[in-house]
Amino acid sequence: MISRYEPRRLEEKWQKIWAQRRLFEAGEDPSRPKYYVLEMFPYPSGRIHMGHVRNYTIGDVVARYKRMRGFNVLHPMGWDAFGLPAENAAMARGLHPASWTYDNIAYMRGQLKELGYSYDWPRELATCDPDYYRWEQLVFIEMFKRGLAYKKKAPVNWCPKCETVLANEQVEGGLCWRCDSPVHLQELEQWFFKITAYADELLADLDHLEHWPERVLTMQRNWIGKSTGAEILFPLKDGGEPIKVFTTRQDTLWGATFMSLAPEHPLALALAKGTPQEAAVQDFVDHWRAQDRSRGVLEEITKEGVFTGRFCLNPVTGWEMPIYVANFVLMEYGTGAVMAVPAHDQRDFEFAQKYGLPVKVVIQPPGEELRAESLKAAYEDEGVLVDSGEFTGQASAPAKEAIAAFLEQAGKGRKAVHFRLRDWLISRQRYWGAPIPIIYCEKCGMVTAPEQDLPVTLPLDVSLTGEGGSPLAQLPSFTNVTCPACGGLGRREVDTMDTFVESSWYFLRYACADYREGVLDRKRVDYWLPVDQYIGGIEHAVLHLLYARFFTKVFRDLDLVKIDEPFQRLLTQGMVLKDGAKMAKSKGNVVDPNDMIQAYGTDTTRLFLLFAAPPERDLEWSDQGVMGGHRFLHRLWTLAHNLLPRLKDAGAYQGTGADLSGGLGEFRRKVHQTIQKVSGDIEDRFHFNTAIAAVMELINAFYQAAEDHAQEEKALPVFREALEAILLLLYPMVPHITEELWEALGYNTSLQLAPWPQAQAEALAEAARTVVIQINGKVRSRITVAAGLSDPELENAALNDPVVQKWLQGQTPKKVVVARGKLVNIVI
RNA sequence: GCCUGGGUGGCGGAACGGGUAGACGCAAGGGACUUAAAAUCCCUCGGGGUUCGCCCCGUGCCGGUUCGAGUCCGGCCCCAGGCACCA
């Protein structure tokens, strides 16, 4: 036993022992409750950074804690290994993306091992492994057969820098989520997953995710963006296909005085054709197409439009409504056409003012009468219908229902629900991703790759030049293939899948990472899933977390899993900041975990990250704070070593505390109070910062008690009990130092196998307690009384307190309140 | 504009059924030990006043409920994140 605290030495020692004893490898055991804790797996970018360390430390504490609580814990780790950075790095350095990726994985795995995380390493997986993505290809084929994977031509987001398309979720404020380049729309034929088929369920099930942060739920609700309203058909005055609009305000239909079309609407140019307005409309649309539509610019654009020269008819009033093309109407939402109700929609109001279009009030607010002539702004709230035929006099809400039903009956429209959510665009014109298992045949069209031929392996003999589009398209050995249907000449799909596809189901595969008979081993997956606790950054609120929910539902419908939702509880941990900003190479404020481990050890690094802030909040890195954590571990070490020679042979205290004299009894009470406090902080809230603070207090008290009772033989069992409790409580957070001290106490099994300590009820009971006395709500005195005094007795004791007597000066109090046996408030 | 968080010492943060505001840690100041420094240990540490007993003020701002409000209610200000011409 060494007496100096040398963190690196003992951390290596224990990491080796844990691995040898295979302590963290979990098997299915129906006799024990299971607990699946998972942290979002990393992209193998090269090095583990402090954000990872924080994320994985939180998860590791949970895993180790739950094991001590008797759970059969699954805690796996793997690699989100496909992605563009590998290609870029490869091109810049002449490496192959595969070797770059696998080298990074090897290095980062080493880092994670040095950090001492309790992962079930045999379950490790990398998504770029053909043994992983082959199952994804199989799922793709199943989805294709069911119409959940399909190809269509559509205007899609193109990032010129990444030279690939992006899903809507991956465009943030008009910029590429990965490289911040402005994205523009391009008409391309692309692969989509039909996530909109699950829009309703994805929205509804959010209500059952009680243990998800409210803001994530809100972000997903907003993203899905359900609105209930009606589709209404407006016949053209001159005949032809009517114009279909979507509105949530069918109660304002009688006030619709003109029609607005999106510039991309197919009717925009078609209608104008042959009218005197044709040139003007063409001009307007051309101008609009050239317009920079990135965020910010868009907000500044004034509402403009142009008359098409044609009219449609209001289906209920029969009025002629001029049809305009307007720059604020979105083709992507609804039907790309809007019935304009200037009195009750601000945009339409402004548009009507500008072009001198009629305004007609059809909704009256309570207690006021609006007049079209004097309207200064649209009245957008609900109210009572006026001038609306048989619906006049009804309130907006019931009128909406009635009007939708009426339109449906009259064949002029129907009740309808629209979503903001679009289908998930998953094809990427890149090399380093999972190939889409589709073959094109002149004769047979699109054919899926035969299941026995899976995986469609990503060829490695590729040269990445960065020019000429998708690298796979330039590889005849890959593209040329015989059609599985007719045996004729076929051509492989050269797009690869969005890497978010891999991360949408990896948490399922961990349950049976070695399974070779199919996508998932149903038995094992049913045992482990859902994930009980998922931990990761907020940045995935509507990306990964939405896709993963979608995939889980698809897998369920493919009869691969039985769960509806993948993640029971979600913790979104805050960022690690330095000097008030997110750590970044470009800002020069990066703290390398390796340096911290070298200088102070893993335990200190973990301790600081847990102590500096509660997990969901951002954490400001502080070198001094790290030293504070290190100091604390030294104090623990020194305390233990001062006592060890005498504690080795002492047994832990066994009694109820009744036989202990004042100081010792109080110290023992503190021990049990700390057990209670730490258990609550970890179990209910994951507030490791206050849990650590409580143990710090206990250790401070321990130093005092060790001094006060240095010579007392009967103190030794109490001290032994206290030290054991401290080691047990701290183990999940700082596992190495506690294992070392546990061993020094004479144990030869890992602390991980010891049960979590239990606070003893008798030890918590206090003989005397301090009661706070307030006068008119202000603290004026404190008295010590025997435990178990009744409220009237307490009141009496308080009134007899000399300080109270002084304040009372003989008066009788107006009122005395006794609160929870802890506080007396005297009102005078 | 809408939605979700959040405003507490010099700093990170506690106060989880309304009941001792500032636990724990960092920094700072003073002292002990040392030839000296580091390390370690002890004391002080929201502001103001003080007869050193205590007293007054204080949790973004204004008001309310209550014996009692950081905590509840109403109104406002500021910060962060998300969405944003969504019909």
Side-chain angles (χ1 to χ4, degrees):
Chain A
M1 170 89 211
I2 42 168
S3 62
R4 240 175 72 89
Y5 175 43
E6 295 176 86
R8 281 318 292 152
R9 190 166 136 182
L10 64 93
E11 284 170 6
E12 279 168 27
K13 167 183 159 185
W14 284 100
Q15 283 160 18
K16 215 172 277 171
I17 293 174
W18 293 332
Q20 273 163 9
R21 296 187 190 165
R22 302 170 67 175
L23 264 180
F24 311 126
E25 296 173 23
E28 298 71 41
D29 175 2
S31 72
R32 278 194 296 159
K34 67 93 186 178
Y35 192 89
Y36 184 0
V37 53
L38 182 67
E39 302 106 55
M40 291 179 186
F41 66 167
Y43 178 76
S45 57
R47 301 174 78 80
I48 292 292
H49 58 68
M50 213 44 96
H52 291 129
V53 179
R54 187 177 191 201
N55 188 175
Y56 303 153
T57 297
I58 293 166
D60 197 51
V61 177
V62 174
R64 290 180 190 263
Y65 169 76
K66 288 289 177 182
R67 288 190 195 103
M68 291 173 87
R69 281 286 192 182
F71 287 90
N72 187 23
V73 171
L74 177 59
H75 188 214
M77 180 44 75
W79 310 96
D80 188 13
F82 271 137
L84 193 49
E87 277 179 73
N88 292 338
M91 275 188 278
R93 289 176 233 173
L95 300 163
H96 195 280
S99 67
W100 182 83
T101 301
Y102 280 108
D103 285 352
N104 286 346
I105 288 175
Y107 183 79
M108 291 169 77
R109 183 194 298 120
Q111 285 188 294
L112 293 182
K113 288 191 171 175
E114 277 194 355
L115 283 156
Y117 296 130
S118 61
Y119 293 127
D120 185 345
W121 281 109
R123 291 177 192 260
E124 177 185 6
L125 58 82
T127 57
C128 62
D129 185 343
D131 280 338
Y132 181 80
Y133 65 71
R134 65 177 295 181
W135 305 117
E136 187 168 304
Q137 290 172 336
L138 187 58
V139 169
F140 179 97
I141 290 169
E142 292 301 320
M143 290 173 74
F144 178 78
K145 287 179 185 162
R146 286 165 173 75
L148 290 171
Y150 68 97
K151 211 173 180 190
K152 75 170 174 193
K153 191 163 189 173
V156 294
N157 306 298
W158 175 265
C159 172
K161 188 157 174 225
C162 298
E163 293 187 323
T164 188
V165 295
L166 297 169
N168 278 10
E169 291 80 10
Q170 293 157 26
V171 181
E172 294 167 354
L175 305 177
C176 170
W177 72 291
R178 195 188 292 108
C179 71
D180 280 346
S181 309
V183 164
H184 57 256
L185 289 177
Q186 217 164 26
E187 189 87 10
L188 287 171
E189 187 160 349
Q190 295 286 310
W191 285 99
F192 289 86
F193 281 158
K194 203 166 191 167
I195 190 170
T196 53
Y198 289 83
D200 251 320
E201 197 191 345
L202 286 168
L203 180 69
D205 284 356
L206 288 172
D207 293 340
H208 305 139
L209 299 176
E210 291 164 48
H211 302 289
W212 277 40
E214 199 51 47
R215 58 178 174 152
V216 176
L217 297 175
T218 309
M219 281 161 77
Q220 291 214 356
R221 282 190 190 105
N222 290 343
W223 190 262
I224 295 167
K226 180 178 183 171
S227 12
T228 309
E231 280 172 3
I232 306 175
L233 298 170
F234 287 71
L236 293 175
K237 184 187 166 200
D238 313 326
E241 279 286 295
I243 299 175
K244 193 200 279 180
V245 307
F246 173 71
T247 180
T248 55
R249 291 303 301 273
Q250 60 269 30
D251 56 320
T252 64
L253 179 56
W254 276 257
T257 55
F258 61 100
M259 171 72 62
S260 305
L261 302 178
E264 313 101 304
H265 196 288
L267 285 177
L269 288 165
L271 286 176
K273 202 150 198 170
T275 75
Q277 288 296 101
E278 182 173 354
V281 172
Q282 183 70 56
D283 212 50
F284 183 83
V285 172
D286 289 346
H287 191 258
W288 182 86
R289 283 208 177 116
Q291 171 80 51
D292 175 7
R293 257 167 288 153
S294 58
R295 189 202 190 89
V297 177
L298 213 57
E299 290 165 42
E300 304 304 318
I301 296 174
T302 50
K303 288 173 186 32
E304 283 181 330
V306 61
F307 179 45
T308 58
R310 304 277 296 269
F311 294 85
C312 62
L313 303 174
N314 185 312
V316 290
T317 64
W319 292 342
E320 289 186 8
M321 297 164 58
I323 302 170
Y324 277 74
V325 175
N327 65 350
F328 64 88
V329 180
L330 305 171
M331 193 60 216
E332 311 86 82
Y333 187 79
T335 62
V338 180
M339 68 174 206
V341 185
H344 304 294
D345 182 286
Q346 186 58 26
R347 292 159 304 186
D348 297 341
F349 182 79
E350 286 168 30
F351 198 85
Q353 298 270 299
K354 183 161 178 165
Y355 296 102
L357 295 158
V359 176
K360 189 175 171 237
V361 172
V362 290
I363 303 286
Q364 289 295 357
E368 199 185 342
E369 196 173 328
L370 302 177
R371 294 166 56 90
E373 310 83 67
S374 56
L375 217 53
K376 295 271 185 309
Y379 174 75
E380 296 189 322
D381 288 343
E382 302 197 333
V384 173
L385 276 66
V386 293
D387 274 338
S388 297
E390 59 182 286
F391 302 97
T392 299
Q394 288 196 27
S396 291
K400 281 184 191 176
E401 285 296 323
I403 291 169
F406 161 77
L407 289 170
E408 190 142 7
Q409 212 171 19
K412 293 174 175 178
R414 61 181 186 94
K415 207 174 162 179
V417 171
H418 276 248
F419 291 93
R420 210 188 79 109
L421 182 71
R422 306 282 79 169
D423 275 342
W424 175 14
L425 167 54
I426 57 124
S427 37
R428 295 290 178 273
Q429 291 69 50
R430 304 299 316 187
Y431 164 69
W432 193 234
I436 294 173
I438 290 288
I439 293 159
Y440 300 95
C441 171
E442 294 267 332
K443 264 205 322 232
C444 316
M446 279 192 281
V447 185
T448 56
E451 287 181 19
Q452 67 273 15
D453 290 356
L454 296 182
V456 176
T457 312
L458 189 66
L460 295 177
D461 55 337
V462 68
S463 65
L464 297 172
T465 56
E467 279 156 35
S470 173
L472 287 180
Q474 299 161 42
L475 265 187
S477 60
F478 178 75
T479 57
N480 297 343
V481 67
T482 50
C483 168
C486 70
L489 219 58
R491 188 171 45 80
R492 277 198 199 283
E493 170 63 74
V494 294
D495 282 356
T496 51
M497 282 191 255
D498 183 3
T499 58
F500 278 104
V501 178
E502 283 86 65
S503 55
S504 294
W505 69 286
Y506 77 107
F507 47 88
L508 302 172
R509 185 70 191 172
Y510 276 141
C512 52
D514 58 359
Y515 190 60
R516 304 193 58 87
E517 318 302 316
V519 182
L520 295 172
D521 180 357
R522 188 61 196 263
K523 240 171 121 179
R524 286 191 272 170
V525 170
D526 284 350
Y527 176 79
W528 286 114
L529 272 289
V531 173
D532 294 273
Q533 180 67 56
Y534 199 32
I535 307 166
I538 185 78
E539 66 273 16
H540 289 294
V542 285
L543 288 160
H544 164 59
L545 289 169
L546 185 64
Y547 297 145
R549 293 184 59 225
F550 162 58
F551 250 51
T552 300
K553 293 175 193 303
V554 171
F555 271 49
R556 177 201 59 199
D557 292 344
L558 294 176
D559 206 27
L560 292 167
V561 299
K562 65 176 181 188
I563 52 169
D564 296 313
E565 285 289 334
F567 313 121
Q568 197 113 80
R569 287 171 178 266
L570 174 69
L571 175 72
T572 50
Q573 105 269 3
M575 288 187 295
V576 180
L577 311 175
K578 175 100 194 286
D579 311 319
K582 187 177 180 177
M583 284 189 184
K585 257 190 229 150
S586 57
K587 292 188 202 109
N589 62 348
V590 174
V591 179
D592 190 327
N594 282 14
D595 296 343
M596 288 301 117
I597 295 170
Q598 283 316 313
Y600 303 103
T602 297
D603 282 341
T604 294
T605 310
R606 295 167 62 118
L607 183 73
F608 170 73
L609 288 168
L610 294 166
F611 182 61
E616 62 277 5
R617 238 194 277 190
D618 285 352
L619 179 153
E620 174 71 26
W621 184 268
S622 156
D623 291 328
Q624 263 115 4
V626 177
M627 281 161 64
H630 197 57
R631 227 169 359 238
F632 168 68
L633 293 182
H634 259 288
R635 264 168 79 73
L636 168 64
W637 183 267
T638 308
L639 175 74
H641 276 272
N642 289 343
L643 292 167
L644 267 172
R646 295 199 294 148
L647 288 191
K648 257 189 167 154
D649 304 316
Y653 181 81
Q654 294 293 334
T656 60
D659 59 318
L660 298 174
S661 63
L664 264 186
E666 243 167 72
F667 172 64
R668 184 162 183 270
R669 181 170 317 117
K670 179 99 183 161
V671 172
H672 284 267
Q673 282 170 344
T674 306
I675 292 171
Q676 197 176 41
K677 165 87 177 141
V678 172
S679 303
D681 284 351
I682 296 183
E683 182 72 44
D684 309 334
R685 313 193 295 168
F686 293 162
H687 276 202
F688 312 113
N689 56 332
T690 50
I692 292 166
V695 180
M696 285 173 165
E697 273 189 71
L698 179 58
I699 286 187
N700 291 342
F702 207 155
Y703 266 91
Q704 189 61 51
E707 194 181 315
D708 293 347
H709 307 281
Q711 304 308 321
E712 295 172 37
E713 270 310 302
K714 74 188 278 207
L716 291 178
V718 176
F719 288 170
R720 173 133 189 153
E721 183 193 23
L723 183 58
E724 288 191 359
I726 287 170
L727 298 179
L728 290 162
L729 295 176
L730 285 179
Y731 167 76
M733 301 182 271
V734 286
H736 309 84
I737 186 175
T738 47
E739 282 273 35
E740 182 72 13
L741 294 173
W742 187 249
E743 185 186 58
L745 275 173
Y747 289 101
N748 51 27
T749 53
S750 171
L751 249 178
Q752 179 65 87
L753 302 170
W756 188 254
Q758 191 82 40
Q760 190 188 65
E762 295 96 316
L764 291 172
E766 295 180 76
R769 69 189 321 168
T770 301
V771 175
V772 170
I773 302 177
Q774 295 184 333
I775 294 179
N776 291 338
K778 287 189 177 180
V779 179
R780 295 298 180 191
S781 181
R782 290 177 177 82
I783 54 172
T784 305
V785 300
L789 279 193
S790 68
D791 282 2
E793 286 171 317
L794 225 98
E795 178 176 335
N796 213 28
L799 290 172
N800 284 323
D801 180 53
V803 179
V804 173
Q805 296 278 319
K806 196 190 85 190
W807 279 91
L808 277 177
Q809 289 181 319
Q811 306 168 67
T812 322
K814 285 192 191 129
K815 188 173 182 177
V816 180
V817 183
V818 182
R820 285 201 263 162
K822 272 166 60 182
L823 179 143
V824 181
N825 189 15
I826 299 163
V827 186
I828 55 177

